DNA sequence: TTGTAGGCGTTATCAG
DNA sequence: CTGATAACGCCTACAA
């Protein structure tokens, strides 16, 4: 049995463990609870003098409204749910940070869940967020368990997909063109004269971003009459060590690539490490490119050529869209932000011969 | 009387906008709502056959319990709140990720807020989390607005401070010895023969970690009969650019440091960039050390000597402690994890003469 | 093992 | 502009 002070002690003076409720504020201010509620939710409807009395009483008692009761009655929780692959990954962390800041400015809180690239887990945690009564939901990517959309439909509240724009316009989404990112990058490498390409990618299953990025590269190659040799493709979960291991395999090939496209900066830096250890010079022996333009890549020697993606913009736009929808204001269901190659020292012409 | 569409109506196209409630499940399973509730919350009290019927009915109707109603009645929301400085910062993101994973395993969700190093904002968002009815709270660091603890006391629910251990044992806390981190690092640099030290630190106001790390360095120097020249100290907000600017100032001094202690890896890498641009060689001209042993530092050339801090352990321990307290199980209020120097190429003996 | 019934604290409705 | 009152959907005694 617990030795904790029990709630029966609350009768004792000075040990008032009772929660302060609207009723207490109402009594102190000499009004009804309805008026207290109005002061909290639509102050303009209340006489300034009454309002002041209530505000003071609330402050004096340190009244904190009971969110659950409010949600139950009003069907609004002032919470937004977000399900992301992992925020032990700089990108999603930054987007999520932007999202949270924007929500906070508008008086919303963020309930966050990860799924670690398991779409079944994503479905499960999305259900938990609905259980908590979030007013709207944010997801990453376009690939999801088919049941997710049924669940969302039942739930009947706004949601938005991020980091990609649904080409079929079935689901509101904000992001950028993942396909174009690697397409442009590959064009850049082709222009430098490369013909032997390698690809370091995240597993594409359930990951539309990785899939689109791989496709973008292949499209650019096809336009140049080239085809990606599948033996020069390595898949790895997003971690430096895994990327490094994948790159070691590519370097050990009889004729390794002279240009490596990594689908994100973490992979690119892992590849750089493998090159350093193997004595392969960048960019003299191999050019390496990333996507997302993170600090990790920018601070390498040489600096990593990468694609700047709208990491912050996505978070802000997602927040703005959802809040606009919740408040019945105008909004855009689909938004695609521009991207841009950032040239640094990790790319160059292939070695002659 | 309820006007809810019954389960037979739900096939009707387009009209099923009514939320499915326990009542609907009860009707379909031929039991009372009390039994539905029992199946959800204490299944072992229900006859296996009844349980199965209810479970099936719930699945069929895709019943999602209404968390707000549950919270209101049961005083448990199954949500844990965390307030962190920023998760656009790899460290806190990783700790938070570990925290979230652990909570998820135990059936809790995470409500997250940032304060961007503003203790007033921290107090405010903590109040919001309480409003949402979180069952417990996690904070970063030992420095907080004095009113925060009053608020927490009113709230009467568990909380834990992280990334430091309260020396006075006033507040449950899990972390490590920030003072020791830079103390050990400075000893290492002293042993290499350095005497002219620089410090690159976060602003110490309201940031006990930064303060303790600065103090640890000064303590080691004092033991060696040295004193840190305040002109060789630069303060910067946590960003590469700010750190770089701070380091540029130190490098421009008449006699710049031969050893730089940065209070975290981001600062150290910013300093490295400033050195590269200024043509200052690492470690021949200057040794640089970080704290936290992040990928960012590990992948630099040369690799950054840093202190491994218990980033993951803190998150797991915080989750475990709070859940144990919520469930009335045994737990440790105070936990300090070990740290360790990771030697890489960024440190060496000072140039002769 | 299961059902009945009341209320958690707030807000929406309606009347004054 | 303000007050009285009835839900919101669930859980928990208590009774059967």
């Amino acid at each position: 049995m617990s030795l904790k002070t029990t709630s029966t002690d609350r009768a004792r003076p000075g040990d008032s463990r009772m929660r302060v409720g609207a009723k207490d504020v109402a009594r102190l201010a000499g009004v009804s609870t309805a008026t207290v509620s109005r002061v909290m939710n639509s102050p303009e409807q209340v006489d300034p003098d009454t309002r002041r009395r209530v505000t003071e009483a609330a402050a004096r008692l340190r009244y904190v409204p009971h969110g659950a009761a409010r949600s139950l009655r009003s069907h609004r929780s002032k919470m937004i749910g977000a399900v992301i692959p992992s925020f032990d990954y700089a990108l999603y962390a930054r987007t999520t940070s932007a999202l949270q800041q924007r929500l906070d400015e508008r008086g919303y809180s963020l309930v966050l869940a990860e799924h670690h690239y398991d779409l079944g887990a994503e479905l499960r945690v999305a259900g938990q967020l609905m259980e908590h009564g979030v007013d709207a939901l944010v997801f990453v990517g376009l690939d999801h368990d088919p049941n997710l959309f049924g669940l969302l439909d039942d739930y009947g509240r706004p949601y938005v997909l991020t980091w990609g724009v649904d080409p079929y316009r079935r689901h509101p989404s904000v992001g950028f063109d993942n396909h174009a990112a690697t397409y442009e990058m590959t064009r850049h490498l082709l222009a430098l004269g490369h013909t032997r390409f390698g690809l370091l990618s995240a597993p594409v299953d359930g990951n539309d971003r990785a899939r689109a990025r791989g496709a973008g590269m292949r499209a650019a190659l096809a336009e140049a009459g080239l085809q990606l040799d599948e033996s020069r493709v390595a898949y790895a979960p997003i971690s430096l060590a895994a990327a490094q291991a994948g790159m070691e395999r590519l370097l050990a090939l009889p004729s390794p690539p002279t240009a490596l496209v990594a689908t994100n900066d973490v992979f690119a830096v892992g590849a750089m490490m493998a090159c350093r250890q193997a004595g392969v010079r960048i960019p003299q022996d191999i050019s390496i490119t990333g996507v997302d333009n993170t600090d990790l890549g920018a601070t390498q020697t040489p600096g990593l050529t990468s694609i700047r993606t709208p990491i912050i913009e996505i978070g802000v736009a997602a927040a703005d869209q959802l809040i606009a929808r919740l408040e019945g204001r105008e909004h855009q269901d689909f938004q695609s932000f521009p991207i841009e190659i950032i040239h640094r020292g990790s790319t160059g012409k292939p070695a002659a011969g």
Side-chain angles (χ1 to χ4, degrees), chain A:
Chain A
M1 183 188 131
S2 169
L3 294 177
K4 276 202 179 114
T5 348
T6 63
S7 57
T8 51
D9 297 341
R10 75 185 151 71
R12 292 219 316 262
D15 185 32
S16 49
R17 275 264 143 272
M18 287 293 286
R19 247 190 71 87
V20 170
K23 219 175 291 185
D24 304 284
V25 177
R27 196 179 310 121
L28 182 57
V31 298
S32 73
T33 60
T35 297
V36 173
S37 173
R38 279 183 209 107
V39 170
M40 309 302 291
N41 300 299
S42 37
E44 71 284 357
Q45 292 182 20
V46 179
D47 181 87
D49 207 59
T50 319
R51 193 194 310 162
R52 197 185 38 70
R53 275 182 9 248
V54 171
T55 312
E56 273 174 14
R60 182 112 61 90
L61 298 178
R62 286 188 286 195
Y63 168 56
V64 176
H66 193 296
R70 163 181 293 167
S71 296
L72 181 59
R73 180 59 220 202
S74 69
H75 306 284
R76 294 176 307 106
S77 66
K78 286 286 193 175
M79 298 190 296
I80 305 285
V83 188
I84 69 183
S86 162
F87 47 96
D88 178 10
Y89 180 30
L91 294 188
Y92 300 131
R94 294 196 71 184
T95 298
T96 309
S97 181
L99 176 69
Q100 122 84 31
Q101 276 183 68
R102 196 64 160 205
L103 293 178
D104 185 55
E105 288 168 10
R106 312 303 190 78
Y108 286 83
S109 296
L110 179 67
V111 192
L112 203 53
E114 298 173 293
H115 63 67
H116 299 281
Y117 300 93
D118 172 348
L119 298 188
E122 183 181 41
L123 180 63
R124 180 178 61 75
V125 298
Q128 288 179 358
L129 297 183
M130 293 173 189
E131 202 164 324
H132 291 308
V134 296
D135 293 338
L137 287 145
V138 179
F139 296 92
V140 171
L142 309 176
D143 281 358
H144 300 283
D145 187 307
N147 292 314
L148 179 64
F149 296 108
L151 195 63
L152 284 167
D153 194 50
D154 278 9
Y155 196 56
R157 288 172 183 246
Y159 64 88
V160 63
L161 311 185
T162 61
W163 282 84
V165 185
D166 181 8
Y168 304 105
R169 307 230 153 187
R170 291 162 304 193
H171 308 290
S173 38
V174 300
F176 61 96
D177 188 340
N178 285 283
H179 186 280
T182 42
Y183 176 85
E184 294 300 341
M185 195 57 106
T186 306
R187 298 258 301 170
H188 166 59
L189 291 165
L190 284 165
L192 285 170
H194 291 274
T195 56
R196 218 157 67 228
F197 283 79
L199 169 64
L200 196 48
S201 169
V204 295
D205 200 53
N207 185 336
D208 55 279
R209 285 89 65 212
R211 208 165 46 243
R213 292 179 188 189
M217 178 192 186
R218 288 183 170 87
L221 291 180
E223 280 186 17
L226 296 173
Q227 195 184 339
L228 184 62
D229 183 338
E230 290 302 321
S231 72
R232 295 209 193 93
V233 180
Y235 294 94
I238 297 184
S239 88
L240 273 178
Q244 193 172 346
M247 188 62 191
E248 280 163 8
R249 188 173 71 64
L250 297 188
L251 289 176
L253 290 174
S255 88
T258 66
L260 177 85
V261 172
T263 56
N264 63 56
D265 276 18
V266 173
F267 286 168
V269 170
M272 283 180 144
M273 294 179 72
C275 290
R276 280 176 209 148
Q277 290 210 347
V280 174
R281 295 165 308 162
I282 306 165
Q284 293 87 344
D285 301 326
I286 189 170
S287 287
I288 295 183
T289 68
V291 176
D292 291 327
N293 189 39
T294 60
D295 284 348
L296 181 68
T299 58
Q300 297 300 308
T301 356
L304 178 67
T305 294
S306 191
I307 300 271
R308 194 190 82 81
T309 53
I311 299 176
I312 305 295
E313 291 89 332
I314 289 173
V316 173
D320 286 350
Q321 173 177 149
L322 291 180
I323 293 173
R325 287 213 260 163
L326 288 171
E327 300 180 348
R329 293 201 318 273
E330 281 182 28
H331 65 276
Q332 287 182 261
D333 274 353
F334 301 90
Q335 274 180 278
S336 186
F337 294 96
I339 59 178
E340 174 192 10
I341 295 194
I342 306 292
H343 294 279
R344 295 199 184 85
S346 70
T347 44
K349 295 183 200 271

